[in-house]
Every structure is written in structure tokens, then in C-alpha cells.
Amino acid sequence: MIQLEELREHPLFADLSEALLQWLCEQLTEVSFAAGEVLVRQGDTASNFFVLLKGEVAATTLSRGQQIPTLRFIAPSYFGALALLSGTLAPGSSRAVTDGRLALLPARAFRELVVGSETFSRFIFQSSFDRLTNLEATLRNREQLAALGSLAAGLAHELNNPAAALVRTADRAMAALTTLKAADVELRNHAIPVEAMKILEGLGDRREVTNVMSGIDALKQNQAMDALGNWLVAQGVAKPWLHAPCLIGAGILQEELGPLAIVLSKQQFFAAIHWLASTLELNALMADIHVGSVRISEIIRAMKSYSRMDQAPKQEVDIHEGIEDTLIIMQHRLKQGITVQRDYDRSLPPLTVYGSELNQVWTNLIDNAIDAMDGQGDIIVRTYREIEEAVVEITDNGTGIADDVMPHLFEPFFTTKPLGQGMGLGLDISYQTVVNRHRGALLVSSRPGKTTFQVRLPLAAKPGQT
């Protein structure tokens, strides 16, 4: 049994009467623990209040597959009050850092002590409030960092695809340029007539991807290449399979090449086809390089705009730009099976807001919509003006939100996701940003097949808003 003297020296029980201390001794069970031992597991039912008599214990919370450090208890201390007071499951895990000793107070006895001792209850509630405040602040920061890390990983993937393609295409373009130089020398050596050269240059200037072959299926394109290849063989062109794909890709068929075959010798015609195919290939590769470069530039621009780099925290913004930047940043999640429909009221005036914080709101709401549909479905983003408010609605066609979940939706740490897949702070952060930060409103309506989160923002700053 724990000695009364040891309880008197513990700050938690210093002001208890002798009678309560004696009663407490009878309720407590002493246990020893070893370094590394798990004392509480996240998600367990809270059944004891833990009085730390000796040693050190670290608390962590599992989120996105990682154990995040939250609190550290060094004897004399305590833990486990939050879950008992709120009647919830353990919000995190506790693991021994060193060897030590604990006194376990059953949940029933803990509640009796809270009711029976004003001094103890005041101490517990005050210290629990302080811990919860610190814990919430810590986890908010970590949740935002974790979300940023997830976005960064997605952006890295999105940037890697066009960047890798650019490297491959640039290598091919260098080889194509070498081939084109040789073809150009060959063309000049065969003294191609001026009129024929004009026809060749006209055909070589075709850079549009949309051509007569773009709407034809792969089978018919292959048949067209075979037919053109056979015709080129008949005209004395060697290795026609190297040239036919480039010609067909640009929509150049036998009918356009026929006049050249008539006026040119076989050697001249072969040189002309070699030059034309090389020119078209290099044009196509340069077009691919342009597309890849534009994509990379678009992602970088969106990333800079999304974070509002080099700008004051509060600025005048077009909310549509913020939404579009968010959709670009989240493309790695959307492209797996999500269709986004836009219904924008472009007449909405710019809003004076904390741009990067609002972008985090769009991120959280879109991310939740994707999860609600298991990555497959439709999202509708709608904006409109209602009196003196700008309204943004994000609607998904997922399963909907259960009635018993709805009242807790914006509570911190509340989540319906499996353990470790989220801290339950995304919607809370969004609510704080919209309501407290911008004096707006965040509303939700839901039924199976249609869930809508509605963000309402004042068009002009309200009194007291900073």
C-alpha cells in the first residue's frame, strides 16, 4: 500500500484532508514499470487515473502514420484525467521513458474524488485546461505541418512527371537535331528545285497536334501508316517505318506527297522525305518540351500563389484564384478519379482576407470531400453573392454525414477516420479561420449523395476585424 506521507508530498494531493488521504490510499494500486513499456494505448477505454510517483513518461498521438510527441510527465505528476473527465477514449499513447512507479486510481474513485474535494477538482480542471490548450496548439501546428508535408509530397510527384519527361524529350530532341542536320546536308547536295522546296517547307511547318488524324482511333492510324509505308517503298524510300509515323502524326498522307514524287528523282524524293520526317519529329519534340515546361511553370506559380509568398498576410485577393491554385496543388489526389465542376460568379469583387489561411480552408474541405467519396466521384465548387457576403460552396456526392456526427463536426480532435489517419483538426482549423479570423460563417448540410460545406465571407471588413 502507498504510504500517506508519499501522498502528502505529491502536489496533486497536498491540500487533501487526512480522511480523504486515508480513503485515497485504500483506492490506489501501486505498479512498477520499465523503460519503453507502453502504459496507455491511443483509442483504449479510459479506466484509470495515473499518479506518477517516480520516473518519466512521454505522451504521443498517432497521426498520418507517425507518432507525434505531445506531452512529457516527470514525477511527481499525473496523466489520464482528460479522457476520464470527457468520457472519451484515450486521445494518445503513453510510454515510459525511464523505469518508475505509478499509482492507479480507478475511474469510479477518481470521479468521487473530483466531486468530494473542491481543492482537487479545481487543481485537476485548471491543469487539464492548461494541458489541453497547449496540446491543441501543438497539434494544430503539427497538423498544418503534416498537411503541408502531404502537399509537398504530392507536388514533388506532380513536378517529377513533367521534369522527367522533359529530360527524356530533350535527349530525343538532341538526337533528332543531329539527324535533321544530316538530312539538311543531304537535301542541299541533291539540289532540290525551288518549288518542291516550298512544298516541303510548308509541310514541315505543321506544328498543330489537332490534325486530320487526331480523331481517328489507333487501329486506323496504324493502317494509315502501313499504307503510307508501302507507298514510300514503291517510291524507293529506304526504311519507311522510320518516317511514316512522323508524317501520319502530322496528318500528311500520300495525296500531299504524290506531287513531290512526280517532280523529284528517287534520290531527291528520299532526301526530301528524310528531311521532312526529321523536321516534323523535332517540331513534335519541341512541342512536348513546351507543354512540360508550361506544366512545371503552372505548378510553381500556383504553389507561390497558394502560400502567398512575399506578400503581406492580409491582402486583396480573388477567391477564385485561391480555389484554382488549391485545385492545382491537390491535383495528385484529384486525378485518381475525381471530377471537379466549377460554377463561378466572376462578378464577385476581390476580398481583403488572409489569403494563405483561406487556401488552407479550401484544402481541408476538398480533402474531406475526396475522403468522403473514397477518391471516386464528383465535386462541385460554386461561388455566388448573397447580399453583402461572398459564398463558396463545395459539394461532393459521397455517402453523407451521419446525424450523430453532425453536432460534433467542428469540435477539435473529433474524427470519424480510422486511428492514425487524422487528428480531427482540419474542420476545426477551417472553422476558426472562417468564423474567428474572417468574421464569416462555415455551414454544412448533408444527405446521402450530397454533402455541401458553405463558406460565407463578408465582402467588407466588419468592425473589430483585423
Side-chain angles (χ1 to χ4, degrees):
M1 178 182 290
I2 299 173
Q3 300 300 311
L4 281 174
E5 190 60 35
E6 190 171 17
L7 289 183
R8 288 193 190 97
E9 293 176 357
H10 200 291
L12 190 59
F13 309 121
D15 295 327
L16 294 186
S17 66
E18 287 297 311
L20 273 178
L21 283 174
Q22 184 63 50
W23 173 83
L24 188 60
C25 274
E26 297 171 358
Q27 306 300 318
L28 290 169
T29 302
E30 183 178 349
V31 296
S32 297
F33 57 82
E37 183 178 343
V38 177
L39 306 174
V40 178
R41 294 187 184 278
Q42 184 173 344
D44 285 353
T45 300
S47 57
N48 288 298
F49 175 69
F50 299 86
V51 181
L52 186 58
L53 303 173
K54 181 182 178 182
E56 184 175 344
V57 174
T60 60
T61 295
L62 179 65
S63 179
R64 303 176 190 268
Q66 292 185 328
Q67 289 288 349
I68 298 174
T70 53
L71 295 168
R72 210 168 184 87
F73 310 108
I74 301 175
S77 186
Y78 75 89
F79 56 94
L82 289 175
L84 291 175
L85 290 172
S86 61
T88 58
L89 302 178
S93 299
S94 297
R95 182 185 296 271
V97 178
T98 65
D99 295 346
R101 295 164 51 235
L102 276 174
L104 307 181
L105 184 64
R108 173 192 52 77
F110 171 78
R111 295 189 182 96
E112 289 182 20
L113 187 58
V114 169
V115 173
S117 172
E118 181 180 350
T119 303
F120 178 79
S121 64
R122 186 185 302 115
F123 183 92
I124 284 293
F125 280 111
Q126 182 60 55
S127 58
S128 296
F129 176 78
D130 292 341
R131 286 183 180 182
L132 184 60
T133 301
N134 292 334
L135 175 64
E136 185 175 345
T138 299
L139 291 182
R140 280 179 188 277
N141 291 334
R142 290 187 176 274
E143 177 74 1
Q144 290 175 324
L145 287 173
L148 182 61
S150 178
L151 285 178
L155 277 173
H157 179 74
E158 286 298 302
L159 284 170
N160 182 66
N161 287 340
L166 274 178
V167 172
R168 293 193 301 269
T169 305
D171 288 341
R172 291 172 55 197
M174 291 295 292
L177 180 60
T178 300
T179 302
L180 179 59
K181 288 179 179 178
D184 187 61
V185 171
E186 186 180 359
L187 195 67
R188 285 187 280 108
N189 288 341
H190 284 85
I192 302 296
V194 174
E195 291 303 319
M197 198 64 223
K198 289 181 179 179
I199 295 174
L200 274 177
E201 290 173 345
L203 294 174
D205 283 338
R206 291 193 179 177
R207 292 184 174 86
E208 294 294 328
V209 176
T210 53
N211 52 61
V212 295
M213 301 301 295
S214 61
I216 300 177
D217 61 38
L219 177 60
K220 291 184 177 179
Q221 287 196 40
N222 287 333
Q223 291 172 343
M225 283 190 283
D226 289 341
L228 181 59
N230 293 333
W231 181 80
L232 290 174
V233 169
Q235 308 309 310
V237 176
K239 299 180 180 179
W241 58 86
L242 296 178
H243 311 304
C246 297
L247 299 172
I248 292 297
I252 298 174
L253 303 175
Q254 174 184 337
E255 289 75 12
E256 292 183 277
L257 298 174
L260 288 174
I262 294 174
V263 300
L264 299 177
S265 67
K266 286 187 181 295
Q267 291 79 8
Q268 288 175 326
F269 186 70
F270 174 71
I273 293 299
H274 188 197
W275 179 89
L276 179 58
S278 299
T279 299
L280 293 172
E281 181 184 13
L282 185 59
N283 286 345
L285 290 172
M286 294 306 295
D288 289 343
I289 288 174
H290 175 74
V291 170
S293 301
V294 168
R295 177 59 180 159
I296 291 175
S297 177
E298 180 185 53
I299 293 173
I300 293 174
R301 182 209 59 77
M303 182 171 57
K304 183 175 180 179
S305 178
Y306 177 90
S307 61
R308 300 284 163 181
M309 293 167 60
D310 305 322
Q311 298 183 38
K314 196 172 186 181
Q315 61 272 168
E316 194 173 77
V317 303
D318 180 345
I319 58 173
H320 302 108
E321 292 181 1
I323 294 171
E324 285 300 312
D325 290 338
T326 303
L327 291 172
I328 291 173
I329 295 295
M330 298 188 70
Q331 188 62 32
H332 64 288
R333 296 210 64 198
L334 294 168
K335 67 182 182 182
Q336 302 302 323
I338 301 294
T339 300
V340 179
Q341 301 177 36
R342 298 160 173 82
D343 182 9
Y344 292 160
D345 178 2
R346 292 290 186 178
S347 68
L348 281 174
L351 302 181
T352 302
V353 295
Y354 297 93
S356 62
E357 295 181 26
L358 268 188
N359 287 344
Q360 184 64 53
V361 172
W362 314 138
T363 301
N364 290 337
L365 297 183
I366 294 170
D367 196 54
N368 274 0
I370 295 171
D371 288 340
M373 298 184 294
D374 290 327
Q376 302 285 329
D378 299 318
I379 293 177
I380 301 174
V381 184
R382 181 185 177 212
T383 66
Y384 58 93
R385 177 173 182 162
E386 191 169 274
I387 309 177
E388 291 305 310
E389 291 182 318
V391 183
V392 179
E393 291 182 345
I394 297 176
T395 303
D396 68 72
N397 61 350
T399 56
I401 302 171
D403 292 340
D404 60 330
V405 170
M406 193 71 78
H408 308 286
L409 210 55
F410 300 115
E411 292 178 5
F413 307 115
F414 178 82
T415 179
T416 58
K417 295 178 181 178
L419 184 64
Q421 290 191 13
M423 296 181 187
L425 287 172
L427 288 179
D428 175 54
I429 291 172
S430 299
Y431 185 88
Q432 299 296 333
T433 300
V434 173
V435 177
N436 297 337
R437 192 73 158 154
H438 290 89
R439 304 294 193 269
L442 178 55
L443 311 172
V444 60
S445 62
S446 182
R447 58 179 171 80
K450 184 179 181 181
T451 297
T452 299
F453 281 87
Q454 185 184 85
V455 176
R456 307 181 74 92
L457 298 168
L459 291 175
K462 295 182 178 181
Q465 186 175 353
T466 57

